[in-house]
Amino acid sequence: MPTDLLLGAVMVVSLVLYVVLGGADFGGGVWDLLASGPRKKEQRTLIEKAIGPIWEANHVWLILVVVLLFGAFPKAFSAIATALHIPLTLFLLGVVLRGSAFTFRAYDSREDRKQRRWGLVFSLASLVAPILLGMTVGAIASGQIRVENGMVKSGFFRPWLGVFPLAVGIYALTLFAFLAAVYLAHQADSQALQKDFRTRALASGVSVGVLALITFSLSQSHAPEIAHGLTDHPITWPLHLVTAAFATTTFVLLYQWKFSLARWTAAAQAGMIVIGWTASQYPYLVVPDLTLAGSAGSEKTRTLLLVALAVGSLVLFPSLFVLFRVFRKTDRDGAH
């Protein structure tokens, strides 16, 4: 397999992992903001317990995508970083504010006023950052970023301030909230909390389906290359069917209160959505001017990146396994 295609595949896998892990962390912030009812405090406590120990580690997958884009596909990196520097900067600020507020809420005074202040910053950042991330993706796919002779010619606002990027942003937020609700239903330690998040998972799951249809409809006029890829690319229809199968299975499992299995099918559904998007956009990295092969850097650099990935994975994956195992074990021990 050519090195550019192999590195592109690694980027897709990294994006899938970021969505199913980091995306759920953002979704937890959404439900923190929308916590309600007689178990509002318990809902927020569960969210804090679920994402507290490990949420920072999930950003490693997005960092990996950025590093590979910079090292292996510099033309695409330059175009994206130039045309979308405003939403990307705002997204990073949201990530920083979210993490800072989450930490301050955990270690600051337990006074209600201070807790509400940090909780509001954490939740609002968790709301805004996924929308900006989705708008970035929508702008890249829309065909509004135009590159001529290595220079971005479409300005700094038009590519991402449109109906289609906004729809993709709201779609991303809803998908993240859905994942978080399914995961939290599994991790809840009482049937009452399971019911709370089961209801949220079912409602947000329906919203994901509705927004998928809206986004697809908008793509017909606002992102025609993607619309063409979603309907006419030979691989996308099988991907649509597999995604629909996982979505249906997740709903059935939620209805049957089988949360342990539902979290896996929900994650698979989200992963297939990411894969379907990348397949519909292939061979472009930035529609319509920069393809995967056309924006690739030197062969030597790409080969060295693959070697670095192979060596780094020997450290990364065992470390993440230990991290998850230690903190999950700590949670179980603390529950006794």
Side-chain angles (χ1 to χ4, degrees):
M1 180 183 292
T3 55
D4 60 328
L5 200 58
L6 192 55
L7 286 166
V10 173
M11 289 169 61
V12 172
V13 172
S14 298
L15 283 171
V16 169
L17 290 171
Y18 186 67
V19 167
V20 302
L21 297 172
D25 289 342
F26 284 116
V30 174
W31 297 124
D32 189 274
L33 178 66
L34 299 178
S36 60
R39 291 176 294 277
K40 177 165 61 175
K41 184 176 181 180
E42 288 81 358
Q43 291 166 12
R44 287 176 171 157
T45 299
L46 174 62
I47 293 166
E48 184 174 333
K49 179 182 176 183
I51 71 177
I54 54 176
W55 73 275
E56 283 280 20
N58 292 327
H59 288 299
V60 70
W61 305 114
L62 185 60
I63 293 169
L64 179 58
V65 172
V66 173
V67 170
L68 291 179
L69 190 64
F70 174 78
F73 307 99
K75 293 179 183 178
F77 177 87
S78 176
I80 293 169
T82 301
L84 303 175
H85 71 277
I86 295 174
L88 287 172
T89 300
L90 293 174
F91 167 74
L92 292 174
L93 286 173
V95 170
V96 171
L97 285 172
R98 179 177 178 272
S100 301
F102 186 80
T103 302
F104 290 147
R105 187 174 74 169
Y107 294 103
D108 200 353
S109 167
R110 306 309 290 182
E111 180 187 338
D112 286 346
R113 183 174 61 85
K114 292 184 177 180
Q115 289 290 299
R116 285 196 298 270
R117 179 184 64 190
W118 293 124
L120 182 62
V121 175
F122 165 70
S123 298
L124 289 178
S126 298
L127 196 73
V128 173
I131 294 177
L132 289 167
L133 184 62
M135 291 177 75
T136 298
V137 171
I140 292 170
S142 67
Q144 294 298 314
I145 300 176
R146 300 311 307 263
V147 182
E148 296 178 13
N149 300 318
M151 301 291 291
V152 174
K153 299 296 184 180
S154 48
F156 302 138
F157 294 97
R158 184 165 61 90
W160 63 281
L161 287 180
V163 175
F164 179 72
L166 180 60
V168 176
I170 297 172
Y171 180 48
L173 175 68
T174 307
L175 179 63
F176 292 173
F178 168 67
L179 286 172
V182 176
Y183 295 174
L184 289 165
H186 167 68
Q187 291 189 254
D189 53 8
S190 70
Q191 189 174 39
L193 277 177
Q194 286 180 334
K195 181 180 179 181
D196 289 342
F197 286 107
R198 174 179 178 265
T199 301
R200 288 161 169 78
L202 290 169
S204 56
V206 171
S207 299
V208 168
V210 172
L211 284 166
L213 292 174
I214 292 173
T215 304
F216 174 72
S217 298
L218 288 171
S219 71
Q220 303 294 317
S221 56
H222 293 83
E225 287 285 349
I226 289 299
H228 174 76
L230 287 170
T231 54
D232 297 336
H233 200 291
I235 197 175
T236 51
W237 278 109
L239 291 175
H240 294 333
L241 293 174
V242 173
T243 304
F246 279 125
T248 303
T249 303
T250 301
F251 270 88
V252 171
L253 292 170
L254 287 171
Y255 181 77
Q256 296 176 342
W257 293 70
K258 296 180 179 179
F259 304 123
S260 182
L261 292 174
R263 59 180 174 147
W264 293 107
T265 56
Q269 174 189 345
M272 293 304 301
I273 290 171
V274 175
I275 293 170
W277 155 57
T278 56
S280 66
Q281 185 170 311
Y282 183 79
Y284 295 105
L285 268 179
V286 181
V287 180
D289 294 325
L290 295 175
T291 63
L292 191 71
S295 59
S298 70
E299 179 69 27
K300 183 177 180 180
T301 300
R302 283 179 274 145
T303 301
L304 289 173
L305 280 170
L306 288 171
V307 173
L309 283 171
V311 174
S313 64
L314 298 177
V315 177
L316 176 62
F317 287 106
S319 299
L320 289 174
F321 174 78
V322 172
L323 178 68
F324 276 79
R325 184 177 179 85
V326 166
F327 281 108
R328 290 296 177 239
K329 184 176 186 300
T330 300
D331 289 343
R332 288 194 300 267
D333 291 345
H336 291 308

